[in-house]
Amino acid sequence: MSDANFKLNRRRFLQAGAAGTMLSAGYASGAFAKTATPALSEFTPEFFTADEWKFIMAATDRLIPADGEGPGALDARVPVFIDGQMAGPFGHAADWYMEGPHDPNAPAQLGYQSPLTPAEVYRAAIAELNAWCNDKHGSIFAELDKATKDSVLTALEKGEIKLESTKGANFFSLLLQNTKEGYFADPMYGGNHDMVAWKYIGFPGARASFREWVGVEKPYPLGPVDISGKRG
């Protein structure tokens, strides 16, 4: 997963992911509805340990890097979103069916196939992946250079790094899904800070009506509005 490939596919990836993310269900919002979000350097994670937080910061920064055309994951404070999700009902699979049997080879339509909750998957996967990076590269993931981080994520995506501790869960897919959700979701959930992702792709957000602009062959002239009514 080279820097070139990240940049070439960036706009297509972001635009394709926006609509699906906004329709996603299951966000936990209570912990995120804050009047102000501190800078990432001052943010205290609710769920992640210090080493886990370093991983989340580094991994999301490579999945949506800031050296492309638009804001990166850290600009949108995606890690804040993921931390809150892991601390809330989603992370604990509060409304999921979690009884066995679990078959990692079952077709996708049969649903989640791990006895671990998403929060448990993150905790186990980060520890195992950091150990793997230490063994192969001499440092934990967050301390690797950009090219090596990208190569690790690519190997994880392709299944070349097999994480035994996640018990059938696909950690890369979960991390990528949550990164996109944090990038595009309403700011009340902790990510998409100041609606930077919506501004970048021209998404109007929670405006009451913009039907008159459907099919108009020119950019939408107004900024986005979030669920709270704040204008971007």
Side-chain angles (χ1 to χ4, degrees):
M1 194 182 297
S2 67
D3 282 348
N5 285 336
F6 269 123
K7 292 174 183 176
L8 287 172
N9 294 321
R10 178 185 180 83
R11 181 176 293 275
R12 187 178 304 165
F13 157 71
L14 295 177
Q15 290 175 336
T21 298
M22 291 307 299
L23 293 175
S24 296
Y27 292 145
S29 62
F32 312 115
K34 301 176 181 178
T35 56
T37 303
L40 280 177
S41 60
E42 301 172 356
F43 179 79
T44 301
E46 182 178 357
F47 172 78
F48 292 115
T49 66
D51 282 345
E52 290 169 348
W53 183 244
K54 289 178 183 178
F55 174 89
I56 294 298
M57 292 275 285
T60 57
D61 182 49
R62 296 316 303 151
L63 291 174
I64 308 181
D67 54 2
E69 298 176 359
L74 300 189
D75 298 316
R77 300 185 183 174
V78 168
V80 177
F81 169 88
I82 297 178
D83 179 66
Q85 292 303 305
M86 292 308 107
F90 175 83
H92 293 88
D95 58 355
W96 295 14
Y97 180 81
M98 294 292 291
E99 299 297 325
H102 302 282
D103 181 4
N105 299 314
Q109 59 265 34
L110 294 185
Y112 189 70
Q113 294 291 329
S114 172
L116 302 182
T117 66
E120 291 170 333
V121 170
Y122 267 87
R123 183 139 286 159
I126 292 173
E128 185 175 352
L129 193 57
N130 271 336
W132 186 93
C133 289
N134 247 327
D135 181 55
K136 299 295 183 181
H137 301 290
S139 296
I140 62 173
F141 179 85
E143 296 173 357
L144 303 176
D145 59 55
K146 290 181 179 180
T148 307
K149 287 175 184 171
D150 289 349
S151 70
V152 171
L153 290 174
T154 298
L156 187 63
E157 179 183 20
K158 292 180 177 180
E160 294 169 358
I161 299 176
K162 299 187 183 299
L163 301 179
E164 301 297 331
S165 61
T166 58
K167 299 184 180 179
N170 188 321
F171 174 61
F172 181 85
S173 293
L174 182 62
L175 175 63
L176 180 61
Q177 170 194 327
N178 295 156
T179 298
K180 291 191 286 185
E181 289 170 343
Y183 196 78
F184 288 118
D186 189 273
M188 71 181 290
Y189 299 106
N192 191 15
H193 176 66
D194 200 28
M195 295 173 272
V196 292
W198 292 355
K199 293 174 185 176
Y200 173 54
I201 65 172
F203 183 68
R207 284 188 174 275
S209 176
F210 48 91
R211 288 185 301 172
E212 64 273 19
W213 284 91
V214 176
V216 176
E217 297 296 327
K218 60 181 180 179
Y220 186 67
L222 303 177
V225 176
D226 68 16
I227 289 175
S228 74
K230 179 181 176 182
R231 296 175 182 272

